[in-house]
Amino acid sequence: MADRKAVFSRPNHQDVKITGGFWGEKLQQIHTVTVWDVLDKFEHDHEEGIMKNFEWVSQGQRGQHIGPPWYDGLICEVIRGISDIIALSYDQKLDEKIEYYTSMIEKAQDVDPDGFLDTYTTLMCLDQRFGQNGGSLIWQHNLYNMGCLTEAGIHYYRATKKTRLLKCAVKAANYLCRTIGPEPRKNIVPAHSLPEEAMVKLCCLFREDEKLADRMYEEYGIKAAADDYLALAKFWMDHRGVHHNRASMPKYMGEYSQDHCPVTEQSEAVGHAVRAALMYTGLTAVGIETGEDKYLDAAKRIWDNVELTKLHISGGIGAVHNEERFGYQYDLPNDAYLETCAGVALAFWAGEMHRAFGDRKYIDVLECALYNNVLPSLAADGTHYFYENPLISDGSIERWNWHACPCCPPMFLKLMGSLPDYIYSVGKGGVYINLPISSCYTASLEGGELTISQEESLPWEGIWKITVSAEKALTAALGIRIPPWAGKVLVNGESLDPNQLEQGYFVLTQTWSGKTEISIEMELPAIKVEAHPYVDADIGRVALWRGPLLYCLEEIDNPLETDVVLGDDPLAVEDAQVVTQAKVISGKTLSGERFCAVPYYLWNNRGKGKMNVWVRQAENGVVIANQSGETQVYAAHAAAANQKKLRLDGWENKLYRAYRGSK
Ligand code: FUB
Ligand code: ZN
């Protein structure tokens, strides 16, 4: 097997502290309000609550199950999210909750001699594990559930060093390794991805912490085998599209579960968007850990396909409501589905791609999805949630209190819990700052330690202060990601030349000693953005953007019309109260009325109403899109019919770009 291959490594989770600012405040609310809201709703869901399933299994009962088959996975995802949160800000009450869940999970698993744990299958269709004997793996989610258990065990162990939940995860993983693989084992692959990355992480945990396997053996008599977990993840990658001797039903899961052809032959993102993005995350992780180019090449190909043709401006993916799936290339309607879980999965995948390849562009997407697809899913009160995140509303959409399929809040908590992990990277001879987020991190580098602290005033102001401290002189690189939305940038008062950037980073390689302060000022201009001319839905339209934030027009601020027609009047930026203190973008429409756009993440916090992200833009006094929003010319198919030439020059490698008419 080739060597591990990654440009960057990630800091240990406990080593990065978020120290305040926008995200500090958000995470505080999530810790104190949202986490408890999610736990309360799960515990009372369907009256008896999510944990009843584990109790019934441990009591040997059969015939009833609460919630959908993937409920075990959801509570494990919540445990993972909480573990990451309490790892940085210890909370005894939350720790006690996890202890309680662990004991129920453990009891349920203990009644099975194999270590199999999936309450739906055990309670409802015991002889149909993994969709065998006429079951349905797509419906049962066995591998997904056990993958979520694996992640919960790893993250809780990392947070507390307690091994009981990890023991459950290892027991389950060992059972999977004994059951699935090359003959005489069975050809079964996940119908809902996630376990692939989970197995890679389990392998890494035992490789990094050599004494842990001994501890598991001494405490529980269980042997952990790091190599087997990676081999299983690799088997799953190698057996997509290999339907010969499939042991599970359905044998052929098609594009929906990314099972239409071998992964290394895939080039286009297809099927259920959450499954897909989690599969690509696992693919990238397998590529990094095995060092085999074929996996990373496929990941890169599919990434480019998403970034250039299937990514909504908000960082949302999965345009189509039917089957919650990706649409065709450039098929980016404004009433798209864009599930919160898909945005979270994309952010995780972007993080892995960045680790593998080191380019800023992956963090650009991660940050975009974070602010503009995932964050909007949570109401300002911290207790209401969007499942879908469309870019237009006729006034009927609002966040829900709870959902029959509450998959999004757990995924939301996972990303929020792991946010500190993406702020810094280590590699290329130093430390790289990926996200401007007020925080502190001490990196152990070859030759010594470097402490980086950041203070920023985003997303509203572009003041960003970085302090680098070295107790002992140390020569190392400090990379600072200059975000694409920064506008003009001053570093210590001097203009930054964008040509100086290396893969999107401003890099200072020097000897650091004592304290060094770097002050960065970003202009944060309000801009208009246009979509590629192949995107029919947005022809003749622009979206408004400032800093990391996408903006939208809400009916409450624009009672006459949210789908306004803009002329060439300059955009203004004003302070305003939009549930919270924020900056709004305002200006004059073509007909001279005032319009006001608010950050998209804040929409639908002041009652129901119409909303538009993409608004019409008049060019030379002519509105290109008509009143009903239908495009008149320029669309790929319409161009031929209208004998107009589609102008694509200047669009290379872009799906969105600053509107050419804006200043
Ligand atoms: O299948 C489990 C979850 O339910 C998926 O991740 C969501 O997209 C929803 O389909
Ligand atoms: Zn979801």
Side-chain angles (χ1 to χ4, degrees), residues 342-353:
V344 172
L346 176 68
F348 288 146
W349 181 26
E352 284 302 273
M353 291 298 282

Side-chain angles (χ1 to χ4, degrees), residues 344-607:
V344 172
L346 176 68
F348 288 146
W349 181 26
E352 284 302 273
M353 291 298 282
H354 180 259
R355 202 156 70 89
F357 298 107
D359 199 298
R360 183 197 81 181
K361 71 174 194 162
Y362 301 110
I363 298 291
D364 295 348
V365 170
L366 187 159
E367 182 187 62
C368 177
L370 174 71
Y371 274 103
N372 302 304
N373 180 250
V374 177
L375 185 58
S377 74
L378 183 69
D381 68 9
T383 64
H384 290 79
Y385 311 88
F386 272 142
Y387 191 120
E388 300 163 39
N389 298 277
L391 303 182
I392 190 169
S393 168
D394 60 3
S396 61
I397 302 173
E398 63 183 334
R399 291 182 185 80
W400 38 268
N401 180 47
W402 202 233
H403 198 277
C405 171
C407 51
C408 298
M411 281 287 270
F412 176 86
L413 291 180
K414 285 200 305 185
L415 183 60
M416 293 302 142
S418 63
L419 184 56
D421 305 355
Y422 298 105
I423 302 176
Y424 303 92
S425 292
V426 177
K428 293 195 198 176
V431 191
Y432 280 66
I433 302 176
N434 304 317
L435 294 168
I437 292 183
S438 297
S439 57
C440 185
Y441 169 52
T442 299
S444 296
L445 303 173
E446 226 172 275
E449 287 190 337
L450 212 54
T451 299
I452 319 286
S453 45
Q454 303 187 57
E455 258 180 65
E456 40 73 35
S457 48
L458 290 163
W460 316 121
E461 309 281 352
I463 310 288
W464 182 12
K465 287 198 175 6
I466 297 165
T467 308
V468 185
S469 318
E471 271 185 25
K472 278 199 277 168
L474 174 70
T475 304
L478 174 74
I480 304 168
R481 167 177 165 265
I482 303 298
W485 38 259
K488 289 190 195 101
V489 176
L490 299 179
V491 178
N492 292 333
E494 283 190 22
S495 227
L496 179 75
D497 174 2
N499 296 319
Q500 266 179 281
L501 304 184
E502 294 168 29
Q503 283 194 310
Y505 287 81
F506 174 59
V507 183
L508 288 164
T509 303
Q510 62 181 64
T511 302
W512 306 92
S513 143
K515 257 194 186 163
T516 311
E517 307 224 314
I518 302 165
S519 111
I520 299 185
E521 284 168 63
M522 298 182 282
E523 182 195 12
L524 308 192
I527 57 169
K528 292 176 180 173
V529 177
E530 62 182 347
H532 192 283
Y534 282 178
V535 181
D536 285 13
D538 299 330
I539 292 172
R541 292 178 177 274
V542 291
L544 301 171
W545 191 280
R546 181 176 181 270
L549 299 178
L550 174 68
Y551 278 69
C552 68
L553 274 72
E554 286 200 87
E555 191 172 355
I556 189 167
D557 308 304
N558 305 278
L560 290 180
E561 178 62 284
T562 51
D563 186 13
V564 295
V565 181
L566 301 184
D568 281 337
D569 269 21
L571 301 173
V573 177
E574 294 169 15
D575 289 305
Q577 181 71 21
V578 191
V579 201
T580 176
Q581 195 60 33
K583 297 267 187 204
V584 298
I585 299 177
S586 63
K588 289 254 159 52
T589 66
L590 187 63
S591 51
E593 279 110 29
R594 178 187 148 83
F595 76 87
C596 171
V598 301
Y600 174 71
Y601 87 87
L602 285 174
W603 94 274
N604 184 241
N605 275 300
R606 294 170 294 163

